[in-house]
Amino acid sequence: MSDPTATAGIDSRLEGHRVELTGYCYRMLGSAFEAEDAVQDTMVRAWRNFDKFEGRSSLRSWLYRIATNVCLDMLNAGNKRARPVDLTGPTPLAQAALTPRPENTWLEPMPDGRVLPSTADPAEAAVAKESVRLAFMAALQHLPPKQRAVLILREVLAWRASEVAELLETTVASVNSALQRARATLAETAGRAPDTADPLDEEQRKLLDRYVAAFEGYDMTALTALLHEDAVMTMPPFDLWLRGHDDITGFMLSMGASCANSRLVATRANGAPAFAHYKPDPDGPGHVPWAVQVLDVSDGAITGLHCFLDTPRWFPLFGLPDRLDA
C-alpha cells in the first residue's frame, strides 16, 4: 500500500465512518475515552487488513464487525459503568459526604458532535439522541455484551436481523432471542425518557435561559421553581446524589457555596442540553473550570442535574476554554 494516493483514499473512506463508529462504541462501553480508543484500534486494524477486505460486505458493515470485536474484547474485563443513582440510595442533605470512587466506575458524558452523525431525517436524529441519553446508556450497562450489541444494531442503527447474525457469526433465531431478552431488561431499567425537543422549542429555550439566570445569580428561590420536586443531582466522581429541590438547593448553599457567582457556557452532551460550569478563580479575577453539567428536562421542569467534575478530562474533550477572563 505504498501508493500515497491509494493510502489517502483509504484513510478518507475509513474516516468517513468515525463519528458513527464512535457513537456505537460509546453505547457499547459507556466511556468517552474507551470509545475513542476502540475506534482508533478499529481504524488501525482496518487499515492494516484493507488488502484482505474483498468487498463481500459493505465497508461499513466490515468496520462494524471489527469495532464489535474490539468492544467485546474490552467488555470481557467485566467492567460495568454506572451513574451514582444506580449504586446507592439518595443521601439526605444532613448526611452528605463527598466520597470519590475510581474513574472506571462511572458512565461518562460525551459531546454530541463526536457521536451523532448529521442526518436530514428528524426521526433518525431523534432515535440517535435518545440512544445516548445518560438514562438509556445506564440501562444498556445492565445487558450482557452480546445482547448490548444486538440491541444497538437492531433498535438504534436499524440493521436487519440477518445482517446482525452475519456480523456476530450466529443465527437469526439467536439474534431475535437476544433482542427479546434485551428489550425485557431495558423495559425494567430504562425509566422515563426526557422530552427535550430538537431543536429546542420556545418553552425549553426559556426554561434553560431561566436556569442560567438562576444559577449564575445563585438565586435558590428561582432555581427551586425550575426543578421538579423529585429532581436528582449527581456529581461523579463522588457517589453522593441528592433527590428533591430542597436538598439540592440546601447543598448548593452549604457544601456547594463556593459556586456562587459562577458562569455557565452552553454546550451539548448526550443528546441533551448541557453547560460548562466555571467557578470564580480563588486566586484572582476570572473563572476556572468546575464541571460539565448535563440536564434532564421533562414536562417543563428540570428533572436531573448531572455534574461531571473531572474537568481536566472533560473540558478538552468538549473543546472548552480552560478559563474565562473577568
Side-chain angles (χ1 to χ4, degrees), residues 26-171:
Y26 175 60
R27 293 177 188 101
M28 285 290 289
L29 301 168
S31 159
F33 296 102
E34 284 181 5
E36 301 213 319
D37 288 347
V39 172
Q40 201 49 41
D41 193 358
T42 299
M43 295 296 189
V44 169
R45 291 188 197 191
W47 203 90
R48 282 191 186 137
N49 293 293
F50 205 82
D51 291 344
K52 295 178 198 158
F53 170 60
E54 292 155 0
R56 279 187 303 225
S57 61
S58 70
L59 176 63
R60 180 174 182 249
S61 50
W62 184 61
L63 288 171
Y64 269 93
R65 179 188 295 241
I66 299 170
T68 301
N69 289 330
V70 170
C71 289
L72 292 176
D73 286 347
M74 291 171 81
L75 287 166
N76 278 340
N79 183 38
K80 194 165 87 170
R81 289 176 177 266
R83 304 166 300 170
V85 298
D86 303 318
L87 298 181
T88 64
T91 307
L93 179 59
Q95 293 159 29
L98 297 176
T99 312
R101 294 206 192 188
E103 168 272 311
N104 66 356
T105 308
W106 303 118
L107 198 57
E108 296 180 347
M110 182 62 116
D112 282 5
R114 286 181 182 254
V115 290
L116 297 177
S118 49
T119 170
D121 180 345
E124 206 176 290
V127 169
K129 289 202 154 167
E130 286 304 324
S131 70
V132 291
R133 297 269 193 223
L134 290 170
F136 183 80
M137 292 284 300
L140 285 176
Q141 298 288 306
H142 292 276
L143 301 177
K146 282 219 167 138
Q147 276 185 34
R148 206 179 298 182
V150 167
L151 184 105
I152 296 165
L153 291 164
R154 291 283 285 118
E155 302 273 272
V156 178
L157 301 173
W159 284 39
R160 292 193 298 273
S162 56
E163 294 172 318
V164 178
E166 191 182 332
L167 182 143
L168 293 172
E169 297 177 339
T170 185
T171 63

Side-chain angles (χ1 to χ4, degrees), residues 182-260:
R183 280 176 178 159
T185 304
L186 237 56
E188 289 167 20
T189 54
R192 177 158 178 244
D195 55 15
T196 314
D198 182 43
L200 292 176
D201 64 31
E202 187 62 24
E203 285 305 306
Q204 288 166 354
R205 274 204 303 276
K206 284 182 185 162
L207 175 71
L208 294 177
D209 289 346
R210 286 161 60 207
Y211 172 73
V212 171
F215 196 97
E216 292 188 341
Y218 231 57
D219 179 343
M220 293 303 136
T221 305
L223 191 61
T224 297
L226 304 176
L227 292 172
H228 189 277
E229 62 181 343
D230 284 330
V232 301
M233 180 179 179
T234 67
M235 291 163 278
F238 301 116
D239 58 13
L240 167 77
W241 64 280
L242 302 160
R243 170 175 277 146
H245 46 56
D246 291 346
D247 275 5
I248 292 171
T249 54
F251 178 88
M252 289 171 70
L253 289 171
S254 53
M255 294 173 87
S258 61
C259 288

